[in-house]
Amino acid sequence: AGLVSISLAKQFPAVSNGRVVSGALRDFGTNEKVAPLVTQLRAWVQGSLAKGTVTACPLLADGIIVLRRSMLKIDAIDPGLSDFSRIEICGTSERASKVRLNASFVPLLMAGAKRQGDKAAQQMYKIFEELQDEEVKRIRSLTGAPSDGQGLKQALERLKGGKLLSSHERAGAMLHAGFTLQEPRLREELNFIQADHLARLRRANIPVPNSYVLLGIPDQSGTLEEGEVVVIHGGNLLSPLADCSSQQSIDVLVYKPPGAHEGDVRKLRCLCQNLPKQLSAMLKGVMSRRANAVILSTKGERATGDKSAGSDYDGDLYSVIAQPQIVALFDERTPWDVKPLAKPAAEPAPTRHDDPQALQQQLLKHYMHLRYDSAPTVGTSAVNLMAFQDRGETQACERLVDIY
């Protein structure tokens, strides 16, 4: 992860899900141009190619961008490209969408609750049921009571979340034009949206309140202690609930999809106020609605991001859950670590470039291995991994993770 000056970052377009977002470059209150806190980019610098994320920093002089050596993927090989420098914006920290559970995440949370005992597991299950029931009511309200256009707009807005389906766009356009449920085409679109959301809900795609999906970046000030994070959404620090507003910090769960190991869900301490001076100085002037990220500590023997499914800070999205009941019922487990695999009995034969017939046989053998052995084996392991998760057989899951 690198750094970029605020003056340069202000020139970056707002990009979300690969699409340019219009009207997101200015602050709501002042209408001034604001910089995104985090930008995922590709940079061609004098013939070299670098990629990764850069964080807006007010301490840098105007027009400066700092790229780490680890971000450099291709060194310049053509002297003729020494004058070529370009930046391609792949994504910016425009918004923080709500965390939605899935068939992989739920078993990990249930396993964390079981470590506290059966009673905690039952309470966690009840919380999921309540969240699911609340979402069913919201989904059914789409074609229920509110028959006026404004009521339908509000119901649609609550459901669409971070991703827009084509049906959402069509229904939204019709509502904006003034259509109501008296229009058969609009009702058809809303019925399709409702059926789709209910189908996803049956697959445990449950939204979690007080939770966010955010870009993960390292603490470049080096002042956060091991196990500490800072969560920023919409330019604001994550705050405790109203009855706990005096707390300096709260516990949160941080997870990087699609982690399958129980240790991939980390329980960390989130600072809500009184940040370290060096970190506060680096955030000064960039706390706008374009600031949505989770800042992870760089201290300790192993990076915090690496403990969660071996992720990094190259644009990975992290799920942050601050729902107090879920967090309190969860006990984390030691993160997964790569185990050395046994070496093969015989080393593969070197490629025979000097013998066309031997080379052809080697290429054919390699193709047959990839076509009929590797892909089906890995696919079958993924299916088995889900089955073992459903049955709670953690040792078998860990063995498959170690192998594949």
Side-chain angles (χ1 to χ4, degrees):
L3 297 170
V4 61
S5 65
I6 291 183
S7 63
L8 183 57
K10 284 182 179 180
Q11 302 178 40
F12 295 164
V15 179
S16 179
N17 296 325
R19 299 168 65 180
V20 176
V21 181
S22 59
L25 300 180
R26 299 186 180 276
D27 187 63
F28 284 126
T30 63
N31 199 35
E32 294 181 356
K33 237 182 179 182
V34 291
L37 175 60
V38 188
T39 302
Q40 185 180 13
L41 52 75
R42 298 187 185 98
W44 286 265
V45 184
Q46 297 179 348
S48 300
L49 172 62
K51 65 182 288 289
T53 59
V54 292
T55 304
C57 179
L59 306 180
L60 291 179
D62 292 348
I64 297 296
I65 182 170
V66 179
L67 303 176
R68 295 181 182 271
R69 177 66 193 181
S70 60
M71 299 173 66
L72 189 63
K73 307 304 178 183
I74 300 177
D75 288 315
I77 56 176
D78 186 353
L81 296 175
S82 58
D83 295 332
F84 181 82
S85 295
R86 295 288 188 276
I87 294 177
E88 177 187 6
I89 307 302
C90 304
T92 50
S93 55
E94 298 306 321
R95 59 184 176 185
S97 57
K98 184 179 292 185
V99 172
R100 301 186 76 95
L101 304 180
N102 53 50
S104 298
F105 199 2
V106 168
L108 300 182
L109 294 175
M110 288 298 299
K114 286 180 181 178
R115 285 190 281 275
Q116 288 192 13
D118 292 338
K119 184 177 180 181
Q122 292 174 1
Q123 292 175 340
M124 183 76 81
Y125 184 79
K126 186 177 180 180
I127 291 173
F128 293 156
E129 279 191 323
E130 292 173 353
L131 292 176
Q132 193 175 43
D133 291 341
E134 291 174 6
E135 184 66 4
V136 168
K137 292 178 182 178
R138 281 193 289 268
I139 293 173
R140 296 199 182 281
S141 70
L142 194 59
T143 54
S147 57
D148 60 292
Q150 188 61 32
L152 286 171
K153 287 180 184 178
Q154 293 175 355
L156 187 65
E157 185 69 24
R158 287 194 298 267
L159 282 182
K160 72 179 184 181
K163 294 183 179 180
L164 281 174
L165 301 175
S166 56
S167 294
H168 280 111
E169 295 174 337
R170 289 193 294 267
M174 294 181 73
L175 289 171
H176 183 73
F179 288 97
T180 66
L181 280 179
Q182 306 299 325
E183 170 58 41
R185 178 61 179 173
L186 176 59
R187 178 173 284 276
E188 180 183 348
E189 294 290 354
L190 295 178
N191 285 337
F192 176 83
I193 294 172
Q194 185 183 75
D196 176 73
H197 278 275
L198 289 173
R200 288 194 286 171
L201 202 57
R202 287 192 290 271
R203 298 192 294 269
N205 194 234
I206 307 169
V208 180
N210 203 26
S211 65
Y212 306 95
V213 178
L214 300 162
L215 279 167
I217 57 175
D219 169 30
Q220 306 211 41
S221 71
T223 53
L224 289 180
E225 297 299 328
E226 184 177 3
E228 290 183 343
V229 298
V230 173
V231 176
I232 303 172
H233 61 96
N236 300 308
L237 296 178
L238 180 66
S239 302
L241 298 180
D243 54 349
C244 305
S245 57
S246 61
Q247 286 184 268
Q248 299 288 322
S249 61
I250 59 173
D251 287 335
V252 297
L253 301 182
V254 177
Y255 168 71
K256 166 61 179 66
H261 188 271
E262 292 177 9
D264 290 339
V265 184
R266 311 306 304 155
K267 193 171 187 176
L268 305 172
R269 197 69 182 166
C270 176
L271 303 185
C272 302
Q273 46 188 315
N274 297 329
L275 300 183
K277 291 182 179 180
Q278 294 91 328
L279 182 57
S280 295
M282 294 189 70
L283 294 175
K284 186 178 180 180
V286 294
M287 297 293 275
S288 68
R289 63 168 175 160
R290 302 186 73 189
N292 298 278
V294 52
I295 305 175
L296 304 167
S297 172
T298 56
K299 294 184 178 180
E301 295 182 0
R302 187 177 173 190
T304 304
D306 185 56
K307 293 179 182 179
S308 182
S311 55
D312 54 26
Y313 308 119
D314 193 20
D316 286 357
L317 292 172
Y318 294 78
S319 298
V320 179
I321 294 180
Q323 207 274 356
Q325 289 79 18
I326 293 178
V327 176
L329 291 171
F330 182 87
D331 275 356
E332 72 175 4
R333 185 180 170 183
T334 304
W336 172 73
D337 197 5
V338 178
K339 296 180 180 179
L341 299 178
K343 293 185 178 180
E347 294 292 334
T351 305
R352 296 289 304 277
H353 294 287
D354 57 333
D355 188 340
Q357 186 174 0
L359 176 61
Q360 184 179 24
Q361 290 178 350
Q362 286 181 328
L363 291 175
L364 179 60
K365 184 178 180 180
H366 181 63
Y367 167 77
M368 297 296 286
H369 169 71
L370 294 177
R371 178 65 179 84
Y372 295 105
D373 295 335
S374 299
T377 302
V378 174
T380 303
S381 73
V383 175
N384 291 339
L385 184 62
M386 294 295 293
F388 286 139
Q389 281 183 322
D390 292 340
R391 295 201 295 265
E393 299 182 21
T394 56
Q395 291 185 350
C397 288
E398 292 175 10
R399 180 59 180 154
L400 285 172
V401 170
D402 289 335
I403 294 175
Y404 297 104

